Amino acid sequence: MRTFFLLLCALSLYGSSFSEIKEMIRNNPELRSLKNLAEAKNEEAVLSGKLENPSLKIFANDINLQQPFSRDIEAMQSQGIILTQKIPTAGKLDYLKNADISLKEAKEYEYELLLKRLFLEADIVTFKISAIEKKLLLLKEYNRLIDYTSRLLEQYSQSLGTPHTAIIKAEILKSNIDTQTIKLQNLKKRYLEKLSSITASKISSIEREMKIYEIKNRDFYEKKLLSHPGLKIIKKLMQAKKERINYYKAQKTPDIGVSAGYFNRENRDDYISVSLSFKLPIYGREDLKTSISMKELSSLEKIYENEKLKLRFGLRSAFIKAEDSLKRYKIVDEIIQRDLSHQMDIVIQNLAANTAMAENAVEVIEKTLKFELEKVDILYEFNSAMSEISYYSGDEL
């Protein structure tokens, strides 16, 4: 009978696997929005490396109001075109382009971070649904067992006059099992709806295994913290800010404005003109912009350190939860295997032949069910904690 229980608890519903759910998550609207923004940032980086469009000026000067269409009245009358182009100096275009490339990469890491968060959320939800399924299987089997016990107790009460106390206990236990079953069924529906919301797809059932395994040393996970996309985002923002600082410093070297014009005159020689223009960095604007950006960079460095602390705390908290649940699982499993399993086997084997055993059966069934359900809860806690560890350490979920 015990083996039968374990087999029942190990069963999973055939449904969407977690690998399929991960693919569905990529359809999440927020994820698609971030992906589009990353693509836009990539085009911005391309745009930053291009020269500004030249300006073209077409003119006709010294128009005589008495003879507006006569263009040979005086030597100053001319018409023509002027082409002007701004030419950046000191590598400014490269600085702007590199800054936008870093911002684009930061946006890509934002996508990766959100994807990992959604994977973690879905991971924990699927473990929760799996735990509910295991509990429902347990409750269903123990409900059958308590029904069988109740019928025997009714028979003993009618034929031998045994006390009704055991019958009342059996009815209370059955009522509790029925109540728990209804609550778990409704809870399962809620978690399936939540999973459907995360994946932007309808999920009616899932197939997810929960298991217990030994945990590696905490240092093994902490060494991977720096690969977390949350930190990579800040690193890329820092790189972009450094490129901006270089750009503002380069602005002390003025860009060159080149203008070339062609002038036409009626009955006179045509001529051309060439001019150069510069913005003079005399008011200290570039130094102020550099100073502001350096303060912003310093702020980002502090944010980076703070984010590392938050990730380390999250990892260590998850590690403590995993260690705690692993220890508790072993204790509860040992109680079930060593004590309650033996008692249950005796109860099941002697239930129909022993009046006293039938009266004691309700207590044994209730106690065993309690530990079996607790074991499932601990199994869920362990697997969800390990998912959190994978999230914080940057491992794939």
Side-chain angles (χ1 to χ4, degrees), residues 36-51:
N36 290 338
L37 286 174
E39 291 171 354
K41 284 293 181 184
N42 185 54
E43 293 178 2
E44 283 183 20
V46 174
L47 182 62
S48 297
K50 292 183 177 293
L51 291 171

Side-chain angles (χ1 to χ4, degrees), residues 318-319 321-322 325 380-390:
F319 193 84
K321 285 193 291 184
S325 54
Y380 160 74
E381 290 172 15
F382 175 81
N383 281 269
S384 61
M386 291 306 298
S387 292
E388 291 178 17
I389 288 173
S390 295

